[in-house]
Amino acid sequence: MKKITIAIDGHSSCGKSTMAKDLAREVGYVYVDTGAMYRCVTLYALRNGLFTADGINEEALRNRLSDINISFKFNPEAGRPDTYLNGELVERDIRTMEVSSHVSPIATLGFVREAMVALQQEMGRGGGVVMDGRDIGTVVFPHAELKIFVTASAEVRAQRRYDELKQKGMEANYQDILKNVQERDYIDSHRAVSPLRQADDAILLDNSHMTIAEQKQWLMQQFEKAAQ
């Protein structure tokens, strides 16, 4: 089988990352979590006071973008890559509700997306990569051999996010999470730069009522077809 590029896009909290990680592990590909990259920029902005009462200090963020170094290192115990910001393990820090509620405005900034897309394209050069996010099949890898667009109802996605946070021992409120999911859907779909949309040649997967095992089986079938 030839090594292909796999682009998995879709709404927030619909299990894209889990699917992508599992598939990459199964087929021996490199996995890149692009959402974690935008979360790293958001965490940096929060830590450095770049969010003000009026919004984001865009000029300051633009000037400091070169100071933000994002990398992934495989964690053998967890069986997945961990995210590092300037050499610091931030996998847990970037998953908080504070970061979740600030990430969409950061991701709408053209200069941030331009920098992240360039980094993602460099990471995925040569194929053999699984990448998930909002614009992988439309902007980052428009010629990817396999494109999947994942969705689920907002209520199902909010419940999954709630369960995930509680499992990690983190504070969570279902109604707050549902509101955040709905707001992120609107912002992601209506931003001027690289809005979230299904690529014309992407395969739609609504996993609202699918088990993890059913998703894995479905995704492997799509991979085997595309890699022939």
Side-chain angles (χ1 to χ4, degrees):
M1 284 188 182
K2 64 177 180 178
K3 287 212 165 188
I4 65 172
T5 298
I6 302 169
I8 301 180
D9 289 310
H11 294 99
S12 65
S13 303
C14 61
K16 300 184 305 297
S17 297
T18 301
M19 289 174 60
K21 287 172 190 171
D22 287 346
L23 179 63
R25 189 166 55 243
E26 288 282 328
V27 302
Y29 278 22
V30 173
Y31 165 70
V32 178
D33 182 352
T34 64
M37 297 168 74
Y38 290 100
R39 285 174 174 271
C40 279
V41 177
T42 305
L43 181 63
Y44 180 91
L46 285 166
R47 286 179 171 180
N48 289 275
L50 303 185
F51 282 95
T52 69
D54 300 322
I56 303 163
N57 186 335
E58 294 185 26
E59 184 179 355
L61 180 57
R62 189 192 299 269
N63 291 338
R64 299 177 72 167
L65 208 55
S66 60
D67 296 334
I68 302 175
N69 181 268
I70 302 165
S71 58
F72 298 94
K73 296 178 186 175
F74 187 75
N75 180 336
E77 290 184 13
R80 54 164 172 70
D82 282 335
T83 312
Y84 287 77
L85 172 60
N86 294 333
E88 176 195 352
L89 175 63
V90 293
E91 190 62 41
R92 184 182 175 92
D93 304 69
I94 62 173
R95 309 295 174 185
T96 63
M97 274 302 294
E98 183 182 25
V99 171
S100 292
S101 61
H102 287 84
V103 66
S104 285
I106 287 284
T108 64
L109 298 174
F111 65 91
V112 172
R113 297 205 73 83
E114 186 179 330
M116 294 300 106
V117 166
L119 184 55
Q120 291 155 15
Q121 289 173 333
E122 182 60 35
M123 289 177 171
R125 208 174 299 284
V129 66
V130 183
M131 205 172 282
D132 73 285
R134 302 287 192 280
D135 61 351
I136 312 305
T138 53
V139 176
V140 183
F141 294 116
H143 303 297
E145 291 90 343
L146 176 58
K147 299 178 187 178
I148 308 291
F149 190 89
V150 193
T151 191
S153 73
E155 290 75 16
V156 166
R157 289 183 282 134
Q159 186 65 51
R160 288 173 182 169
R161 181 81 176 132
Y162 174 85
D163 293 342
E164 179 188 3
L165 291 171
K166 295 298 283 187
Q167 191 175 17
K168 291 178 178 177
M170 300 169 74
E171 287 294 317
N173 177 283
Y174 172 79
Q175 290 300 329
D176 289 346
I177 294 171
L178 177 59
K179 183 182 177 186
N180 175 247
V181 164
Q182 293 168 333
E183 287 174 347
R184 289 179 68 188
D185 283 353
Y186 183 85
I187 293 171
D188 291 345
S189 301
H190 289 79
R191 66 186 177 217
V193 181
S194 304
L196 170 67
R197 68 174 181 83
Q198 182 180 341
D200 293 338
D201 54 347
I203 306 167
L204 179 65
L205 170 64
D206 185 332
N207 64 11
S208 297
H209 306 292
M210 292 177 77
T211 65
I212 298 291
E214 287 170 341
Q215 289 181 70
K216 282 185 177 180
Q217 183 181 16
W218 182 90
L219 198 56
M220 187 57 71
Q221 289 172 348
Q222 307 311 316
F223 166 73
E224 288 171 352
K225 285 181 198 172
Q228 290 299 338

